Amino acid sequence: MDYIKKDLFIKIAVIILTGMTGAVGLNFFLIPANVFSAGMTGIAQIIGAFFQQLVGISIDTGILIFLLNVPVFVLGFIKLGKSAMILSFANVIALSLFTTIVPVGEITDNVLMNAITGGVLLGLGGGFSLKYGFTTGGLDILSLLLSRTTGRTVGNYIMLMNGIIVVVAGFFFDWESALYTIITIFTMGTVVDMIHTSHQKMTAFITTQKSKELRDALYQSLVRGMTIIPARGGFSSKERDVLMVVLTRYELYALKQIVREVDPMAFTNIVATDSVIGRFLSEDEQKKVKKDSTKT
């Protein structure tokens, strides 16, 4: 129970961090420099700039972020389920709220510095959100839904939609803003990859006396194959097992929580894995296995 409370506390802290860093990145760096972000946040900026320049009406970016995400999350609740959407929706609410509260102000008039710093701050929130199992909403969810419908990768759709943002920024505003927007999107992606690298493989060696309980708990959550190696303690000479499991870095957080909950006395050694030869289940394949197991 303590680990569940700790996990919830960390996720709430990440949601607050995402809101604060995103608001500062937008209101202090990107918006004053007329540089646009990636995803739904960038679309909100463009819509806000349209209203400001064409109609003379100023609409807060935070309000637009929230309004644009509402229909996306309704669709996400229907297609992806509540558990996948609740924290992501809380993330969007935090970003919208902090963006509304934090005033717009210019720290530097150097557009390049604004583009890079804004991208770093927005990337921090996005990276930590993905690391702890939820998203920043918007285009991430749309891309996931389109991917499941068409079979194309999520990355392809995210790249396409962000490309549209760059073209719109260049065509309706100026191409210099579009070029700086590319720098911001690239910076955001780099920071996200530094924090959340789900494509990287890790191998965990777990020495435990509760191998069956730990194996069942890990398989139920991660759906990863395991190798059980009989072992004996070098100091105590007690019999125990070593569970060897290859997983993504994205799944590492869940593994640590499960090991601590099932066997707090287990010794876990985690090493980087250069490559994997053989079948390694994707996220969609894992979900299919879970779904099939509940039917039997």
Side-chain angles (χ1 to χ4, degrees), residues 29-38 42 45-46 49 53 111-112 114-116 162-186:
F29 296 98
L30 297 186
I31 292 176
N34 203 29
V35 176
F36 300 97
S37 174
Q45 285 181 264
I46 289 174
Q53 293 187 16
V111 183
L112 179 60
N114 282 320
I116 294 174
N162 284 330
I164 293 172
I165 291 173
V166 172
V167 172
V168 170
F171 187 78
F172 288 100
F173 298 97
D174 62 81
W175 289 106
E176 186 173 332
S177 291
L179 293 174
Y180 283 117
T181 298
I182 293 174
I183 293 173
T184 296
I185 292 173
F186 176 79

Side-chain angles (χ1 to χ4, degrees), residues 283-294:
E283 186 177 346
D284 288 337
E285 288 174 326
Q286 286 179 303
K287 289 179 180 178
K288 185 177 184 302
V289 171
K290 287 182 181 180
K291 186 177 181 180
D292 292 341
S293 64
T294 56

Side-chain angles (χ1 to χ4, degrees), residues 78-284:
I78 296 171
K79 298 292 185 179
L80 301 176
K82 295 181 181 179
S83 59
M85 293 294 103
I86 291 175
L87 288 174
S88 298
F89 191 54
N91 219 13
V92 170
I93 291 175
L95 177 60
S96 302
L97 182 62
F98 279 106
T99 304
T100 303
I101 294 173
V102 175
V104 176
E106 187 177 62
I107 292 179
T108 174
D109 59 0
N110 187 311
V111 183
L112 179 60
M113 289 300 299
N114 282 320
I116 294 174
T117 307
V120 168
L121 289 170
L122 286 163
L124 282 173
F128 279 110
S129 297
L130 290 171
K131 182 177 180 179
Y132 288 100
F134 49 97
T135 73
T136 52
L139 296 190
D140 292 344
I141 297 171
L142 283 178
S143 299
L144 182 59
L145 290 170
L146 288 171
S147 175
R148 292 188 174 184
T149 303
T150 64
R152 295 178 180 272
T153 66
V154 174
N156 284 340
Y157 284 110
I158 291 176
M159 191 180 303
L160 174 63
M161 292 178 186
N162 284 330
I164 293 172
I165 291 173
V166 172
V167 172
V168 170
F171 187 78
F172 288 100
F173 298 97
D174 62 81
W175 289 106
E176 186 173 332
S177 291
L179 293 174
Y180 283 117
T181 298
I182 293 174
I183 293 173
T184 296
I185 292 173
F186 176 79
T187 304
M188 285 178 62
T190 302
V191 173
V192 168
D193 284 344
M194 288 173 63
I195 298 171
H196 170 70
T197 50
S198 61
H199 59 279
Q200 288 188 358
K201 307 297 186 296
M202 316 292 292
T203 300
F205 296 90
I206 309 165
T207 304
T208 177
Q209 290 182 308
K210 298 181 179 180
S211 60
K212 185 181 184 304
E213 297 94 323
L214 196 52
R215 180 198 64 188
D216 293 343
L218 288 171
Y219 185 75
Q220 187 176 20
S221 177
L222 301 179
V223 194
R224 290 292 177 205
M226 278 167 258
T227 300
I228 300 178
I229 307 168
R232 186 172 63 185
F235 179 75
S236 65
S237 295
K238 290 182 179 179
E239 299 293 332
R240 58 195 69 195
D241 292 325
V242 176
L243 274 62
M244 185 184 76
V245 54
V246 181
L247 67 164
T248 66
R249 187 158 186 167
Y250 175 75
E251 297 166 317
L252 190 56
Y253 178 77
L255 179 136
K256 290 178 180 178
Q257 299 303 309
I258 293 168
V259 172
R260 287 170 182 165
E261 186 174 342
V262 176
D263 185 7
M265 300 302 294
F267 179 82
T268 305
N269 180 31
I270 299 165
V271 298
T273 299
D274 183 67
S275 61
V276 175
I277 300 173
R279 191 183 181 202
F280 188 81
L281 295 180
S282 66
E283 186 177 346
D284 288 337

